[in-house]
């Protein structure tokens, strides 16, 4: 076609007619859109799965690394472990124990007497009164015979 030919000229009509006759012999083109959409979804799913797996591997590696190497990184041979940071305490501080065993423990309820108090007898000078009320009773003497502590040869052994 020359530059002088115009739309609707006889040369253009012949050219268009030849193109249509050639294209009519070809089968229709397949629809590629569903395959392209399916392939795009697969790529998206694959990339998201790799991102999730990579994140899981990274977090697991950091966690295991800190669990295994954490004690080594925190403490060097010349230093002592650090004290915990001061902060609000959930528990109440316990008072120091009193040297007087008859003093009631703080924070514990004092039981109410079930009967009215009676007069106490005056202290006597008997041997049992020399022990305070809170001391444990004396242990009973050992009942094992002294012969049980001696070494005996094995049965059948000759001396």
């Amino acid at each position: 076609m020359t530059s002088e030919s115009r739309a609707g000229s006889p040369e253009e009509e012949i050219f268009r007619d030849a193109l249509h006759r050639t294209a009519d012999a070809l089968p229709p083109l397949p629809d590629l859109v569903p395959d392209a959409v399916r392939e795009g979804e697969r790529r998206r799913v694959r990339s998201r799965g790799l991102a999730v797996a990579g994140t899981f591997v990274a977090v697991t590696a950091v966690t295991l690394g800190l669990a295994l190497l954490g004690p080594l990184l925190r403490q060097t041979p010349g230093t002592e472990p650090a004290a915990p940071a001061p902060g609000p305490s959930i528990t109440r501080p316990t008072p120091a124990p009193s040297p007087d065993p008859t003093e009631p423990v703080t924070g514990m309820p004092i039981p109410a007497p079930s009967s009215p108090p009676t007069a106490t007898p005056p202290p006597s000078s008997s041997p049992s009164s020399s022990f305070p009320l809170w001391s444990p009773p004396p242990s009973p003497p050992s009942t094992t015979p002294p012969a049980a502590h001696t070494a005996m040869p094995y049965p059948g052994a000759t001396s």
Side-chain angles (χ1 to χ4, degrees), residues 99-116:
D100 184 12
T102 59
E103 182 179 314
V105 178
T106 57
M108 299 291 289
I110 300 173
S114 58
S115 63

Side-chain angles (χ1 to χ4, degrees), residues 19-150:
L19 286 177
H20 285 292
R21 274 185 277 137
T22 307
D24 287 341
L26 296 173
L29 293 174
D31 190 9
L32 300 177
V33 173
D35 292 335
V37 169
R38 195 176 311 117
E39 184 63 28
E41 288 174 354
R42 286 180 185 160
R43 285 181 183 172
R44 227 174 294 126
V45 167
R46 197 177 310 128
S47 67
R48 287 178 184 163
L50 289 174
V52 168
T55 304
F56 176 76
V57 167
V59 168
T60 304
V62 168
T63 304
L64 288 176
L66 287 176
L68 296 175
L69 298 176
L72 297 176
L73 296 176
R74 280 191 221 127
Q75 187 176 8
T76 58
T79 62
E80 292 190 16
S89 176
I90 296 174
T91 60
R92 293 186 300 178
T94 57
S98 172
D100 184 12
T102 59
E103 182 179 314
V105 178
T106 57
M108 299 291 289
I110 300 173
S114 58
S115 63
T118 58
T120 57
S124 62
S125 60
S126 66
S128 64
S129 66
S130 62
F131 294 104
L133 294 176
W134 52 270
S135 66
S139 60
S142 175
T143 58
T144 53
H149 295 292
T150 59

